[in-house]
């Protein structure tokens, strides 16, 4: 019978996949598009909002600049798409920007890209989910009132879906992603048809509002405002890089399918972005940064709705079914946009872990062949951001974009060096022409993305971009520290040349608390190892118990000397350590093997009823050089019904959480009687007594 926890896990995640099924989890282009492109596609739901609300600082007349700002964003997007098509062909392994920068610009540049992407992925989840809550809250007041809780719940649901495996999550996201594309493009086409063919005069709900400028913007201030608007609109480019990181998830031919999907992503995103901004201008839509102060006159109780919701109301009519479809699909795609990060972050984390820059647990696949640890880590960080910023998109968006344009710029610089290196050895004229064309595309891409990065830093630094920069710096330094640790450990573990030096002698110590089955088995096993000396040791914390132990030891004629170590303060660990250290001091070239008898319980709650002194002592003895620790288990009857298959599965995924020895009950052994010599431990060959089996009755022993 499976445990309730195991049943819940199977219900949420499904049955585990065999490793040989990894090929079956690869994605076709029609599934890969919604999986990797939902972030970039969904950006049309908030990029136009950011463009308009930033322009509103200068008043309603500034909205006339929105098409030009959108056109500038389109130019950058086309450039980035064309550049990344070169990337996926040159580096199909899935390292994406990280691999490109590392191979061509060096390790530190690669780590800079990796830290930027990790921050950007976390922000993608936080911004997308928060924006989805904002859109849903415009039609459902309850969601608006509890936006933080709803946002965190959405992250949890997305986490569960991705833990089920990439292909299943892609299938689940395909319908809403394609539905969003159809609804938005259908709304744009319907609106344009009504305006230019039917001649209808359609107006957005905010068209008649009178708004005032927050500042008088002219000259340099106007230029700065337009640059800030452009940098906000560049949020539409987030998510483009995800495909280059996810090439291994495509079906063969991987590079060609990834490049095709990238092109489709760019064309669809550009169509929707330009269409929304154009339709907003035609309907007189107004969207301001601070409605409470900028809106001078308007209907009583007016609440500012998102751009897509206002356009849906203008095109389809207030209260129409299609209006709710637009609002619902927009909110849904924004929730699902976070899926791009859920697919990119774990893959990048796995690559970094393989390169020893992140914990190796991130390189391990879970039951469903997904990088479960990376998925969970992303969900935790994104939830913390949502809670810290109260799911407010305007505050979160200021942290956005920096990371992705850092990776864009460094990646394009790396690609230029990549083509230069190949051109030095390539002699085929046709291949050289192709490489030269690709280099020109990447060079133009680096110039464009570098310019955007400077604009973003200048216009958004004090608004919150500095937080993202600090986070990238912290992650960068953390990854360097992790790599230094792994390198240091590898250096220490490298075997020396020549034959290993064998120890002169082996001194065995058996720890004893009571004379029962675990103790006798430990003594027998220690004898079977044929050590040079064998000593049993017990700790005197209670004279009566120790005297009884000694009498029982002699009555059974145990063929091993028993040594009692005194403990006036009733401590167990320190006296044992001192005894072991004394043996090491007398024979520093020898090794000491400590045998710890333990009984194993089958129920988790049984561990709570027994002391854990064995576990503590084992952990402490591991730090003693020249000391080997051997556990000698005795399985109790309760282990007979233990679900060992589930335990095996648990142990194969990570640290052991199965049955433990109830602890060194023996370490809380009775004290020896006064007649026993306790001032100092005996020499390695002398009589020794060890009390280290688990105590069946821990309540009888002082802590």
């Amino acid at each position: 019978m499976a445990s309730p926890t195991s049943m819940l896990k199977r219900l949420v995640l499904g049955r585990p996949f065999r490793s040989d099924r990894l090929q079956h989890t690869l994605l076709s282009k029609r599934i890969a598009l919604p999986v990797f492109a939902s972030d970039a596609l969904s950006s049309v739901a908030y990029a136009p909002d950011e463009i308009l609300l930033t322009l509103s600082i200068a008043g309603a007349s500034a909205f006339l600049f929105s098409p030009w700002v959108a056109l500038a964003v389109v130019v950058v997007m086309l450039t980035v798409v064309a550049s990344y098509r070169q990337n996926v062909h040159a580096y199909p392994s899935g390292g994406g920007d990280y691999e490109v920068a590392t191979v061509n610009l060096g390790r530190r540049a690669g780590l800079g890209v990796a830290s930027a992407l990790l921050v950007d992925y976390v922000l993608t989840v936080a911004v997308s989910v928060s924006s989805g809550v904002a859109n849903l809250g415009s039609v459902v007041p309850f969601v608006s009132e509890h936006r933080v809780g709803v946002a965190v719940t959405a992250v949890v649901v997305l986490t569960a879906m991705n833990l089920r495996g990439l292909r299943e999550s892609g299938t689940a996201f395909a319908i809403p992603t394609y539905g969003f594309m159809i609804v938005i493009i259908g709304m744009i086409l319907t609106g344009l048809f009504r305006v230019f063919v039917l001649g209808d005069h359609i107006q957005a709900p905010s068209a008649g509002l009178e708004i005032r400028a927050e500042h008088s913007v002219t000259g340099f201030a106007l230029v700065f405002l337009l640059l800030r608007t452009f940098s906000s609109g560049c949020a539409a480019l987030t998510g483009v890089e995800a495909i280059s990181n996810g090439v291994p998830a495509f079906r063969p031919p991987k590079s060609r399918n990834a490049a095709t999907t990238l092109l489709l992503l760019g064309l669809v995103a550009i169509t929707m972005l330009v269409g929304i901004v154009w339709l907003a201008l035609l309907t007189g839509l107004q969207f301001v940064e601070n409605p409470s102060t900028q809106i001078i006159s308007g209907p009583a109780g007016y609440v500012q709705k998102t751009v897509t919701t206002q356009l849906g109301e203008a095109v389809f009519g207030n209260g129409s079914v299609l209006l709710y479809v637009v609002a619902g699909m927009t909110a849904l795609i924004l929730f699902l946009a976070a899926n791009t990060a859920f697919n990119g972050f774990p893959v990048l984390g796995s690559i970094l872990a393989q390169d020893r820059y992140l914990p190796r647990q991130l390189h391990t696949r879970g039951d469903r062949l997904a990088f479960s640890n990376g998925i969970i880590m992303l969900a935790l960080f994104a939830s913390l951001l949502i809670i810290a910023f109260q799911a407010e998109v305007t505050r979160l968006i200021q942290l956005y974009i920096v990371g992705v344009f850092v990776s864009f710029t460094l990646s394009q610089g790396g690609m230029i060096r990549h083509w230069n290196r190949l051109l030095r050895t390539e002699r085929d004229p046709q291949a050289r022409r192709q490489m030269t064309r690709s280099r020109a595309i990447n060079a133009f891409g680096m110039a464009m993305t570098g310019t955007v990065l400077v604009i973003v830093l200048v216009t958004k630094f004090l608004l919150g971009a500095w937080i993202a920069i600090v986070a990238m710096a912290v992650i960068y330094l953390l990854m360097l520290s992790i790599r230094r640790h792994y390198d240091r450990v590898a250096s220490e573990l490298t075997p020396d040349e020549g034959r290993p030096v064998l120890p002169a002698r082996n001194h065995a110590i058996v720890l004893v608390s009571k004379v029962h089955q675990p103790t006798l088995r430990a003594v027998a096993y220690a004898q079977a190892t044929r050590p040079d000396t064998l000593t049993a040791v017990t700790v005197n914390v209670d004279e009566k118990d120790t005297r009884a132990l000694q009498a029982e030891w002699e009555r059974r004629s145990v063929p091993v000397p028993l040594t009692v170590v005194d403990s006036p303060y009733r401590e167990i660990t320190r006296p044992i350590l001192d005894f072991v250290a004394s043996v090491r001091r007398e024979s520093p070239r020898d090794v000491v093997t400590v045998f710890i008898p333990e009984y194993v319980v089958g129920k988790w709650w049984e561990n709570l009823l027994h002391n854990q002194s064995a576990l503590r002592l084992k952990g402490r003895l591991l730090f003693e050089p020249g000391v080997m620790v051997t556990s000698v288990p005795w399985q109790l009857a309760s282990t007979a019904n233990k679900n060992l298959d589930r335990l095996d599965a648990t142990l194969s995924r990570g640290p052991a959480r199965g049955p433990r020895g109830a602890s060194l009950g023996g370490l809380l052994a009775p004290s020896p009687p006064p007649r026993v010599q306790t001032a100092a431990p005996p020499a390695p060959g002398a009589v020794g007594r060890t009390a280290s089996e688990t105590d069946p009755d821990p309540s009888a022993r002082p802590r």
Side-chain angles (χ1 to χ4, degrees):
M1 178 67 69
S3 67
T5 304
S6 178
M7 293 177 64
L8 178 62
K9 182 179 180 181
R10 293 284 75 83
L11 179 64
V12 175
L13 304 184
R15 293 186 177 277
F17 284 160
R18 290 168 53 94
S19 297
D20 55 14
R21 286 201 56 185
L22 181 61
Q23 186 70 19
H24 299 286
T25 66
L26 299 180
L27 306 177
S28 62
K29 291 191 292 293
R30 69 176 183 274
I31 298 298
L33 182 62
V35 167
F36 291 108
S38 55
D39 179 21
L41 294 179
S42 69
S43 63
V44 301
Y46 55 81
D49 297 42
E50 295 301 315
I51 291 174
L52 295 177
L53 71 83
T54 307
L55 289 174
S56 71
I57 296 175
S61 60
F63 290 142
L64 294 174
F65 291 106
S66 60
W68 300 105
V69 174
L71 182 60
V73 174
V74 166
V75 172
V76 178
M77 180 173 287
L78 286 173
T79 303
V80 171
V81 168
S83 299
Y84 272 88
R85 281 171 58 84
Q86 317 308 312
N87 288 34
V88 298
H89 283 295
Y91 293 92
S93 63
D97 295 340
Y98 165 69
E99 182 181 4
V100 172
T102 301
V103 171
N104 298 288
L105 301 179
R107 184 185 71 165
R108 295 187 179 275
L111 287 184
V113 169
S115 61
L117 284 174
L118 292 175
V119 170
D120 182 69
Y121 282 136
V122 175
L123 284 167
T124 294
V125 177
V127 171
S128 298
V129 171
S130 299
S131 183
V133 170
N135 276 270
L136 190 60
S138 64
V139 292
V140 182
F142 174 83
V143 174
S144 180
E145 295 170 1
H146 303 85
R147 62 176 183 268
V148 175
V150 174
V152 172
T153 301
V155 172
V156 172
V157 172
L158 286 169
T159 302
M161 295 180 70
N162 278 277
L163 288 174
R164 290 190 66 89
L166 187 60
R167 183 176 181 181
E168 290 199 20
S169 65
T171 305
F173 296 155
I175 295 176
T177 302
Y178 284 124
F180 171 75
M181 293 163 53
I182 294 172
V183 167
I184 295 298
I185 294 176
M187 179 186 71
I188 294 170
L189 293 177
T190 302
L192 296 177
F193 180 81
R194 289 186 60 185
V195 172
F196 293 107
V197 178
L198 301 182
D200 293 344
H201 181 65
I202 59 177
Q203 283 190 322
S206 59
L209 299 178
E210 182 181 354
I211 67 172
R212 65 182 175 192
E214 289 189 347
H215 305 284
S216 178
V217 181
T218 58
F220 178 77
L222 178 60
V223 174
F224 186 84
L225 178 65
L226 291 177
L227 290 176
R228 179 181 165 187
T229 304
F230 169 69
S231 66
S232 296
C234 283
L237 276 75
T238 56
V240 174
E241 79 290 344
I243 289 180
S244 68
N245 293 331
V247 176
F250 284 81
R251 289 179 180 171
K254 296 178 181 290
S255 294
R256 189 176 70 184
N257 287 338
T260 303
T261 304
L262 187 57
L263 179 61
L264 292 174
L265 179 158
L267 294 177
V268 174
I270 288 171
T271 300
M272 292 194 291
L273 176 64
V274 172
I276 288 177
V277 173
W278 188 15
L279 195 58
L281 188 64
L282 292 175
T283 59
L285 188 147
Q286 299 183 107
F287 194 80
V288 299
E289 187 177 27
N290 298 305
S292 59
T293 59
Q294 289 184 260
I295 298 178
I296 300 175
S297 62
Y302 175 78
V303 177
Q304 179 172 267
K305 299 178 180 178
T306 60
V307 170
T308 52
T309 303
Q310 290 192 52
L311 290 179
E313 187 172 334
V315 173
F316 299 121
N318 186 21
S320 66
V321 174
L322 290 178
L323 168 62
Y324 288 100
V325 172
V326 170
M329 293 303 296
T330 302
L332 184 58
I333 191 62
L334 283 165
F335 288 136
L336 301 186
N339 191 62
T340 299
F342 273 105
N343 287 302
F345 183 100
V347 173
L348 179 59
S350 171
I351 294 171
L352 289 168
Q354 191 173 14
D355 291 344
R356 298 183 295 177
Y357 290 114
L358 286 178
R360 290 174 179 171
Q361 292 87 337
L362 294 177
H363 185 56
T364 304
R365 292 183 183 270
D367 285 350
R368 306 284 288 185
L369 300 180
F371 295 110
S372 304
N373 293 326
I375 292 172
I376 294 172
M377 180 181 292
L378 173 62
L380 289 175
F381 284 129
S383 298
L384 289 175
L385 265 183
I386 290 171
I387 295 171
F389 288 85
Q390 293 295 294
E392 293 183 10
V393 180
T394 304
R395 295 174 61 193
L396 285 167
I397 205 75
Q398 308 305 327
L399 284 66
Y400 214 13
I401 307 175
V402 178
V404 71
F405 275 96
V406 167
S407 64
F408 283 170
T409 305
L410 290 176
S411 173
Q412 300 315 303
M415 288 300 298
I416 293 173
R417 296 194 66 175
H418 169 78
W419 298 124
N420 287 339
R421 186 174 63 254
L422 293 182
L423 283 169
R424 284 197 293 267
T425 58
E426 183 60 56
R427 295 293 178 263
D428 182 62
Q430 183 177 356
R432 288 183 62 85
R433 283 194 299 270
Q434 177 66 29
M435 292 178 184
T436 303
R437 184 182 70 86
S438 298
R439 182 178 62 177
I441 293 174
N442 288 128
F444 184 70
M446 186 182 72
M448 291 292 295
T449 56
T451 302
V452 174
L453 176 61
V454 172
I455 294 172
V456 170
L457 291 175
V458 171
T459 59
K460 289 183 175 290
F461 184 82
L462 295 178
L463 297 176
W466 67 269
I467 300 176
I469 295 173
V470 170
M472 285 186 281
V474 171
I475 293 174
Y476 178 87
L477 296 175
L478 179 63
M479 289 193 292
L480 283 178
S481 299
I482 292 174
R483 176 58 187 262
R484 280 196 295 267
H485 167 77
Y486 280 134
D487 288 345
R488 185 171 60 251
V489 170
S491 176
E492 291 183 17
L493 297 181
T494 302
D496 297 328
E497 295 296 331
R499 298 177 61 183
V501 179
L502 298 177
R505 294 193 301 171
N506 177 24
H507 304 286
I509 298 174
V510 181
L511 303 183
V512 179
S513 66
K514 284 189 175 182
V515 182
H516 50 28
Q517 295 279 32
T519 298
L520 298 179
R521 171 179 285 185
V523 170
Y525 179 65
Q527 288 178 304
T529 63
R530 298 184 180 277
D532 294 283
T533 64
L534 176 57
T535 305
V537 175
T538 188
V539 179
N540 179 15
V541 294
D542 182 275
E543 289 189 7
K544 180 181 178 181
D545 289 343
T546 303
R547 192 177 295 111
L549 172 63
Q550 183 185 23
E552 181 66 12
W553 193 268
E554 294 175 353
R555 188 185 70 81
R556 288 181 174 269
S557 299
V558 180
V560 174
L562 176 65
T563 296
V564 178
V565 180
D566 200 10
S567 179
Y569 296 99
R570 300 160 304 283
E571 187 182 2
I572 300 299
T573 304
R574 176 50 55 187
I576 294 294
L577 294 175
D578 291 342
F579 182 86
V580 172
S582 69
V583 176
R584 284 281 298 159
R585 279 195 301 269
E586 295 187 14
S587 306
R589 290 189 55 192
D590 298 350
V591 297
V592 177
T593 303
V594 180
F595 293 86
I596 303 179
E598 303 179 66
Y599 57 79
V600 182
V601 297
K603 308 295 184 181
W604 65 268
W605 53 266
E606 290 180 295
N607 284 305
L608 303 177
L609 303 179
H610 303 282
N611 66 73
Q612 300 297 314
S613 50
L615 190 63
R616 292 193 299 271
L617 183 62
K618 282 191 293 186
R620 181 60 182 84
L621 285 171
L622 292 176
F623 290 93
E624 296 295 322
V627 176
M628 314 301 162
V629 182
T630 302
S631 293
V632 183
W634 180 274
Q635 292 79 15
L636 295 180
S638 60
T639 61
N641 297 323
K642 185 71 176 177
N643 188 338
L644 297 181
D645 291 337
R646 179 160 59 89
L647 177 60
D648 292 341
T650 301
L651 295 176
S652 67
R653 290 191 299 271
R657 295 193 298 265
R660 296 180 295 185
S663 71
L664 261 193
L667 296 186
L668 298 179
S671 315
R675 61 184 176 82
V676 179
Q677 185 178 10
T678 61
V687 179
R689 315 186 182 179
T690 307
S692 62
E693 345 83 74
T694 41
D695 189 352
D697 184 15
S699 61
R701 298 192 178 278
R703 293 188 176 277

